[in-house]
Amino acid sequence: MPDGRCDIILRYNIHGSDAPIPVITGPATQAYTVEYDVGDSWLGIRLRPDNGRALWQSRIAQAADTVLRGQDALSLMPGLAALKGGQMTAANLANAVEITMTLNLDHRLIRALDVLHASGGRMRIEKLARFAGCTSRHLNRVFRSNIGLTAKTYAQLVQFNRTLRLIQQEHLPITGAAFEGGYADHAHLTRAFRRFGGFTPSDPPNELSLPVLFS
Amino acid sequence: MKFGYTIIYVADVPNTVAFYETAFGLKRRFIHESDLYAEMETGGTALAFAGNEAAEMNGLAILPNDPASPAAGWEICFVTDDVQGAFERAVSKGCSPVSNPSEKPWGQTVSYVRDMNGCIVEIASPIVQSS
């Protein structure tokens, strides 16, 4: 399920060579399915949303729902190529990420993200900007240039993920989840679920993997 | 200084008192004849309800609680040994479930509902102090 964050993944195919395939994703706003063979494995890091720019640099603005594989991923993040065989550990991957990426965090963005997540994605951008201490125009610019998504799209993703969790994990009835999630009505909820999840609220796929936010 | 009251501003004080009696099993201490203030029997620190009108009378400006909006940034927490039973009772009496009872890493069972006014109420087990 999409949550607006970028992934750096090393994929091992049981029938392939020893070298894993590097995969880098832009901030996701749409669900995708992964085809795999039994025995395949993945090792990956999901970045904080505000770190998208550190990975994609100026390309972040066009990176939404983009996936780079193999050589394309390596040219974005050459440090991945150095990890071979037994060096492919989570710690080494994290280390490579840390070396490659210069984090230049905007504290107003971090504050805005914290408030937005606390509100379940239901705070208007104008109000969010007041919490962050800037104008909504500036906040939108910071969202686009760091996360790669507009503030509104990111807020809608937070709202979608919380509501999906209310249905999947808390087993709330759909009308109750729509209300608590802040959707005006069933049609509004269904539109959001179709857009971000690719399914209707009453018919979710069997094996959904829910993104964990800020664990 | 002593912590004396938690006062929640609500649209309808008598209805909220009745709701807290049926949903959470509390008892009322009194409802003022104006219907703008009431206290529950909660021991030394009173859980109280005041009418939204009382806020203006006190010179305050508040954002009224609203079940259709995100909850205000605070909660009250009731502690019981039977979290599951209390949670089910609250939901069957009109609370909206938000988070089913689940055990936290520190050993406490915790659940959340929203009351008739949209306020967050946590229902949790006591923290057992390790000896």
Side-chain angles (χ1 to χ4, degrees), chain A residues 119 122-123 127 162 166 169-173 179-180 182, chain B residues 63 66-71 96-101 114:
Chain A
S119 78
R122 297 174 62 183
M123 186 170 287
K127 189 157 188 194
R162 174 166 187 260
L166 290 173
Q169 278 184 359
E170 307 300 336
H171 307 293
L172 258 63
F179 186 76
E180 174 61 26
Chain B
L63 208 54
D66 175 8
S69 292
S96 307
V98 179
S99 186
N100 292 317
R114 291 182 72 178

Side-chain angles (χ1 to χ4, degrees), chain B residues 71-122:
Chain B
W74 60 272
E75 59 162 69
I76 55 174
C77 175
F78 294 126
V79 174
T80 172
D81 288 322
D82 179 17
V83 174
Q84 185 68 41
F87 176 83
E88 283 168 11
R89 170 181 175 157
V91 170
S92 74
K93 301 298 181 187
C95 285
S96 307
V98 179
S99 186
N100 292 317
S102 66
E103 189 166 341
K104 296 293 175 187
W106 52 92
Q108 191 186 22
T109 302
V110 168
S111 67
Y112 294 93
V113 298
R114 291 182 72 178
D115 74 8
M116 61 178 281
N117 301 301
C119 299
I120 298 174
V121 178
E122 178 179 344

Side-chain angles (χ1 to χ4, degrees), chain A residues 15 18 31 38 40-41 64 92-93 107 113 149 161 165 169 203 208 214:
Chain A
H15 303 304
D18 285 345
V38 173
D40 281 5
S41 57
N92 281 344
L93 179 58
H107 290 277
L113 282 172
L149 302 172
N161 276 299
R165 202 169 291 271
Q169 278 184 359
D203 192 22
L208 263 188
F214 295 126

Side-chain angles (χ1 to χ4, degrees), chain A residues 185-206:
Chain A
D185 50 37
H186 197 279
H188 189 199
L189 176 81
T190 302
R191 271 202 305 281
F193 270 55
R194 280 226 175 87
R195 174 178 170 197
F196 296 122
F199 54 86
T200 59
S202 54
D203 192 22
N206 282 331

Side-chain angles (χ1 to χ4, degrees), chain A residues 118-131:
Chain A
S119 78
R122 297 174 62 183
M123 186 170 287
R124 290 187 164 277
I125 306 308
E126 296 74 23
K127 189 157 188 194
L128 194 59
R130 283 214 299 281
F131 273 97

Side-chain angles (χ1 to χ4, degrees), chain A residues 5-206:
Chain A
R5 298 190 286 173
C6 302
D7 291 331
I8 303 168
I9 302 164
L10 298 170
R11 177 173 185 175
Y12 302 81
N13 182 269
I14 195 158
H15 303 304
S17 60
D18 285 345
I21 305 161
V23 180
I24 291 179
T25 78
T29 70
Q30 285 161 24
Y32 56 89
T33 41
V34 177
E35 308 274 333
Y36 59 90
D37 294 324
V38 173
D40 281 5
S41 57
W42 291 266
L43 178 66
I45 287 180
R46 177 160 287 185
L47 303 179
R48 279 183 59 102
D50 40 308
N51 289 350
R53 184 183 181 81
L55 176 63
W56 286 86
Q57 310 295 329
S58 57
R59 293 169 67 188
I60 185 68
Q62 288 80 43
D65 296 306
T66 303
V67 179
L68 301 181
R69 290 187 183 82
Q71 204 51 50
D72 291 338
L74 289 178
S75 49
L76 185 66
M77 200 181 152
L80 285 182
L83 295 179
K84 292 201 172 66
Q87 297 175 305
M88 299 281 182
T89 63
N92 281 344
L93 179 58
N95 200 24
V97 168
E98 242 174 287
I99 292 166
T100 309
M101 304 194 334
T102 321
L103 300 181
N104 184 17
L105 299 180
D106 183 320
H107 290 277
R108 285 175 294 194
L109 177 60
I110 292 173
R111 202 176 321 149
L113 282 172
D114 286 347
V115 171
L116 187 57
H117 277 267
S119 78
R122 297 174 62 183
M123 186 170 287
R124 290 187 164 277
I125 306 308
E126 296 74 23
K127 189 157 188 194
L128 194 59
R130 283 214 299 281
F131 273 97
C134 61
T135 63
S136 47
R137 203 182 125 110
H138 178 77
L139 189 64
N140 255 315
R141 200 158 52 225
V142 174
F143 264 83
R144 277 200 305 271
S145 64
N146 287 279
I147 300 179
L149 302 172
T150 65
K152 188 175 177 191
T153 299
Y154 189 84
Q156 289 171 331
L157 280 169
V158 174
Q159 185 183 22
F160 161 70
N161 276 299
R162 174 166 187 260
T163 308
L164 178 59
R165 202 169 291 271
L166 290 173
I167 295 172
Q168 292 279 117
Q169 278 184 359
E170 307 300 336
H171 307 293
L172 258 63
I174 287 166
T175 45
F179 186 76
E180 174 61 26
Y183 292 102
D185 50 37
H186 197 279
H188 189 199
L189 176 81
T190 302
R191 271 202 305 281
F193 270 55
R194 280 226 175 87
R195 174 178 170 197
F196 296 122
F199 54 86
T200 59
S202 54
D203 192 22
N206 282 331

